[in-house]
């Protein structure tokens, strides 16, 4: 808990309102700031919402794959996916425009 509080105070962890759809907040924040999401969620409902709003499923899924770090726990040890390739800075800037 202390680590989470410190990361929040440093602006490195963003909290969302409890009653809101947190996927939208996390994904939009990552997109706007060239960030990534650490999650094992596949965001299927988010993809469906985007497609319903006119986005191409393939484009939304590709962005999610490039910006989502999956992880595992081994006992008390947090292990992010060692095969994750960070998106390029140029790609992140292009997504912001």
């Amino acid at each position: 808990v202390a680590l989470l509080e410190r990361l929040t105070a440093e602006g490195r962890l963003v909290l969302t309102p409890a009653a809101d759809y947190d996927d939208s907040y996390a994904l939009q924040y990552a997109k706007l700031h060239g960030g990534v999401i650490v999650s094992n969620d596949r965001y299927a409902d988010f993809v469906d919402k985007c497609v319903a709003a006119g986005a191409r499923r393939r484009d939304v899924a590709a962005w999610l794959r490039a910006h989502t770090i999956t992880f595992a726990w081994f006992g008390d040890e947090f292990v992010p996916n060692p095969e994750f390739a960070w998106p390029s800075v140029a790609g992140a800037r292009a997504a912001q425009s």
Side-chain angles (χ1 to χ4, degrees):
V1 173
L3 173 62
L4 297 177
E5 289 172 346
R6 187 188 62 159
L7 292 173
T8 302
E10 293 172 356
R12 297 172 67 192
L13 178 66
V14 178
L15 303 177
T16 60
D20 286 358
Y21 182 64
D22 60 339
D23 290 359
S24 295
Y25 283 96
L27 297 168
Q28 182 67 16
Y29 189 88
K31 191 170 190 178
L32 289 174
H33 296 281
V36 297
I37 300 104
V38 179
S39 177
N40 288 329
D41 192 334
R42 296 194 184 272
Y43 297 107
D45 50 341
F46 181 82
V47 172
D48 291 342
K49 281 177 132 180
C50 291
V51 169
R56 291 183 6 188
R57 182 175 299 275
R58 178 180 22 187
D59 294 340
V60 176
W63 188 90
L64 285 169
R65 275 192 307 278
H67 292 84
T68 304
I69 304 173
T70 56
F71 65 91
W73 288 98
F74 295 103
D76 289 342
E77 186 176 354
F78 172 77
V79 181
N81 183 344
E83 296 179 5
F84 179 78
W86 286 89
S88 71
V89 173
R93 287 192 180 128
Q96 292 176 12
S97 5

